[in-house]
Amino acid sequence: MRKANMVAVAGMLITFLLHGIFGSVRLLGGNSDTLKAVAYISVAFVALHIILTCIMTCQTLIAWKKSGTGYFRQNKLFWARRISGFAILIPLVMHIVIFSPSNQDVIRLSVFTTGRLISQILLVLTTALHVITNAKPALITLGIRNLKKFTFDILFVLSVLMLFFAIAFFVYYLRWIAV
């Protein structure tokens, strides 16, 4: 099950990054025809990841209950990973609602308020937190042995991309309120 989840995570990460890049280019005034297809594929990977993670979490909780030892305090990172994943869901649903206009040819929203901007910045931040807390176990599952070298490289690249995504949301917001 962990291997299947890693395949879902890898697919999700690749499509998420592509969606973020294409979407940011579109928000900054560029054109991207593949944005919609990548978004649908990304949602499928997200759904698979949620299902597999919920199953594995339930299996863990059942094992803890049977053994009688949950060690909640010692497993704070485990719970931080699960909670950060669920924290993404609210701004993710808001993202889908906000950026699903009826006319897909024009990226012009009926209202893009400060609250919507904040929800999208929260999406970037919660996703970054979830990726950071899960980078090490993901690399271990992939069989990567030199964790320190790859972890910092991956976190640096992801940080730059997350900053780009946040800037694109903010620039779009500024362009929207200027009109």
Side-chain angles (χ1 to χ4, degrees), residues 2 15 30 62 68 76 87 89 92-93 110 132 134 139 143 151 159-160 171:
R2 289 196 188 286
T15 56
I62 290 168
K76 286 181 185 174
L89 292 178
L92 178 63
V93 169
S110 58
I132 288 168
N134 285 287
L139 292 173
T151 301
S159 296
V160 170
V171 167

Side-chain angles (χ1 to χ4, degrees), residues 111-132:
V111 177
F112 196 71
T113 61
T114 304
R116 288 185 174 191
L117 172 66
I118 291 168
S119 75
Q120 298 316 290
I121 299 297
L122 282 174
L123 176 62
V124 172
L125 292 175
T126 56
T127 303
L129 175 66
H130 189 63
V131 168
I132 288 168

Side-chain angles (χ1 to χ4, degrees), residues 31-53:
N31 191 8
S32 178
D33 295 332
T34 58
L35 181 62
K36 190 175 185 178
V38 171
Y40 286 133
I41 294 168
S42 185
V43 167
F45 279 122
V46 167
L48 180 60
H49 176 62
I50 290 170
I51 290 166
L52 292 174
T53 304

